[in-house]
Amino acid sequence: MADKLALLLWAANPDHPELCVTPLIHALAARALDADVEIHFAGPAVRLLVEGVADNLYATAAKEKSVGEFLREACAEDVRLLACSMARAAWVGEQETLIGAAGAAGATAFIARTLDPTWRTLVF
């Protein structure tokens, strides 16, 4: 059984905060099952990693928990957060910074995960 999971976020982005929590919950569930988990942020989804952006996004009108809180929970469980370098160049301003937990990985890194039989992948 594969115990490695890579998630790609692109449609789950700040313009659609209602889509952002599900992949984070799936990442947390996979970590609860002791899987290695990484989340690749592509296209406009990379903005979720910009300092302060996710803290102002909520999946529901009730605003129970921000997307930023879910991201911090994922980081606390050792989920790797990876910003696509091309997306960062296109969607992150020069004066903006990414959250400290954000690493970097290009599109090739996620494709390599999809081709590796020891990894499972999901796209959101």
Side-chain angles (χ1 to χ4, degrees):
M1 179 170 109
D3 58 353
K4 299 175 186 176
L5 179 65
L7 289 78
L8 174 67
L9 273 61
W10 68 274
N13 65 64
D15 291 336
H16 300 284
E18 69 280 4
L19 302 178
C20 296
V21 173
T22 298
L24 297 173
I25 290 173
H26 281 78
L28 289 166
R31 283 297 301 134
L33 296 170
D34 294 325
D36 291 333
V37 180
E38 56 189 36
I39 304 175
H40 297 248
F41 293 78
V46 76
R47 294 220 34 89
L48 294 170
L49 298 177
V50 172
E51 192 70 50
V53 170
D55 287 327
N56 295 308
L57 298 174
Y58 296 87
T60 67
K63 296 185 176 183
E64 303 94 349
K65 187 191 274 189
S66 74
V67 174
E69 290 175 271
F70 281 103
L71 281 172
R72 283 187 288 282
E73 282 183 29
C75 289
E77 294 299 326
D78 296 322
V79 172
R80 294 180 58 213
L81 307 178
L82 303 168
C84 171
S85 52
M86 287 175 37
R88 185 175 181 174
W91 292 92
V92 179
E94 289 182 23
Q95 303 303 317
E96 294 178 310
T97 58
L98 299 185
I99 61 174
T108 304
F110 184 78
I111 294 302
R113 297 297 193 222
T114 67
L115 297 174
D116 185 334
T118 66
W119 284 82
R120 298 291 186 259
T121 56
L122 296 171
V123 178
F124 292 90

